Amino acid sequence: MPYANHQFIVDVAAPIPPAVTARDAGEHMIKRIETDTPVDPAAEETQAFLDSLPEIKPGESFRFACHPKVACFNACCRDLNMPLAPYDVLRLRYELDMNSEEFIGFHTKVGQYPNGYPVLYLKMDNGPERTCPFLTPAGCSVYPGRSAACRTYPLGRATREDDNGKLIEQYFLVQEPHCQGFNETSDWTTDTWLQDQELVEYNRLNDRYMHLMALQQRTGYPLAQKHATLCTLAFYQLDRFAGFLQSMRVMDRLVMTEEEKQRVMDDETARLEFGFDWIELVLYGKNDRLTIKE
């Protein structure tokens, strides 16, 4: 089964830029599911690029650092085609103190994957270099809330589900010619890099979104538009999703304790996880954590 780089969420049939660069590979996640659906040639091109990268196996080390004294500092933070996963949006909103409507309106372009699931793309500045809107001469102005793609670089993460639905992952080193960070002396393994960049929670939650896309891919049909709208609310508009849950009394129809219900209402990360569970239950008829009341 083909693999998926986890940092740019793209479905099997999604269009990929014709010229795939190393930085693209660091931001792309191509979720590849074994179905009868034809594979998009552009997706095959990106897959071939990922396969050409050197794999970093568990325990193997690499050297890398990025800081203002590195000659190419900030060079990679421009001209990006960067989708944002739901948890990326949640963390960026917190860092910017913005509600979902403000953040989506100011900082994203709204689209859909070929499987019908919604995706938000980060808007670059309109200047000739199309820099990231959060870039400053001193570096990233939203560094504590930066996206999974930015945290993962210079690694690329590839994931697949086995026949039992278990997630299997690989890591690759995305080494661009201009990047001087590889000349630094800091030693890392994939595990120490993930811990240092606080990626464990990002990957866990982003993998849950990928699981839903995998389920949809297996149906052989794109998500209905009304369901895509519901997913946008449940994943990307968590503040508004709280009002929906209350007005529609959604949780009253499920086997949940009062403490569980309150946690969903009080904490947006918990609400996002509930959204993943609820959408899986509603669209695919089963979820391991939620049960409809008799």
Side-chain angles (χ1 to χ4, degrees):
M1 181 181 293
Y3 287 86
N5 179 319
H6 187 83
Q7 304 321 319
F8 187 171
I9 309 170
V10 181
D11 187 73
V12 59
I16 308 297
V20 181
T21 66
R23 183 60 176 172
D24 290 327
E27 295 149 7
H28 283 65
M29 182 200 301
I30 304 174
K31 189 62 181 179
R32 307 284 303 281
I33 307 300
E34 288 182 327
T35 68
D36 294 330
T37 305
V39 177
D40 187 283
E44 291 282 22
E45 180 184 358
T46 301
Q47 183 65 41
F49 183 85
L50 291 175
D51 291 342
S52 74
L53 298 175
E55 182 180 354
I56 302 292
K57 295 185 179 298
E60 291 184 348
S61 64
F62 64 97
R63 287 188 172 185
F64 181 79
C66 183
H67 53 79
K69 292 184 179 180
V70 177
C72 62
F73 184 63
N74 285 348
C76 59
C77 305
R78 61 197 73 238
D79 198 21
L80 303 175
N81 187 24
M82 184 186 290
L84 299 171
Y87 191 61
D88 291 331
V89 171
L90 185 156
R91 291 290 300 269
L92 284 167
R93 280 183 45 229
Y94 281 0
E95 190 64 26
L96 295 164
D97 192 22
M98 300 178 78
N99 63 41
S100 63
E101 184 176 0
E102 292 171 333
F103 181 83
I104 291 171
F106 281 115
H107 290 302
T108 74
K109 297 178 181 179
V110 182
Q112 283 181 282
Y113 296 122
N115 62 21
Y117 269 92
V119 58
L120 302 182
Y121 292 92
L122 181 64
K123 287 181 183 176
M124 297 292 111
D125 285 346
N126 293 326
E129 293 189 333
R130 296 186 67 246
T131 58
C132 173
F134 308 127
L135 183 65
T136 72
C140 178
S141 64
V142 293
Y143 191 79
R146 67 199 184 282
S147 72
C150 300
R151 292 169 185 267
T152 303
Y153 189 79
L155 296 179
R157 178 175 181 252
T159 65
R160 67 179 175 94
E161 291 183 353
D162 66 14
D163 293 338
N164 298 316
K166 180 182 177 181
L167 190 75
I168 299 173
E169 63 181 1
Q170 286 180 290
Y171 287 90
F172 303 89
L173 195 61
V174 182
Q175 195 163 0
E176 297 180 279
H178 79 269
C179 183
Q180 302 300 306
F182 294 98
N183 298 328
E184 298 291 296
T185 58
S186 299
D187 286 308
W188 306 95
T189 65
T190 54
D191 284 343
T192 58
W193 185 257
L194 294 182
Q195 292 294 334
D196 183 77
Q197 297 298 307
E198 300 177 351
L199 269 162
V200 174
E201 185 74 346
Y202 278 84
N203 287 346
R204 183 181 71 84
L205 291 169
N206 292 349
D207 287 344
R208 296 201 60 191
Y209 196 30
M210 288 297 95
H211 174 65
L212 293 177
M213 291 201 226
L215 293 176
Q216 187 62 38
Q217 188 72 23
R218 292 184 182 117
T219 71
Y221 300 97
L223 196 66
Q225 187 57 52
K226 64 179 180 180
H227 294 155
T229 301
L230 191 61
C231 289
T232 301
L233 176 67
F235 304 154
Y236 287 111
Q237 298 175 299
L238 291 165
D239 45 358
R240 297 183 63 187
F241 187 43
F244 172 85
L245 294 176
Q246 285 185 319
S247 64
M248 300 300 291
R249 302 180 66 86
V250 170
M251 290 185 287
D252 291 343
R253 305 174 189 179
L254 302 169
V255 179
M256 297 179 67
T257 67
E258 292 304 315
E259 290 77 13
E260 289 171 333
K261 294 176 185 177
Q262 194 60 50
R263 183 167 178 264
V264 169
M265 297 306 299
D266 290 344
D267 181 76
E268 285 200 342
T269 301
R271 200 175 309 149
L272 175 61
E273 295 206 64
F274 173 83
F276 289 143
D277 288 335
W278 182 65
I279 288 294
E280 183 175 3
L281 180 64
V282 169
L283 297 189
Y284 308 107
K286 183 180 179 181
N287 177 265
D288 294 337
R289 287 168 289 274
L290 290 182
T291 304
I292 299 175
K293 287 181 179 178
E294 298 290 341

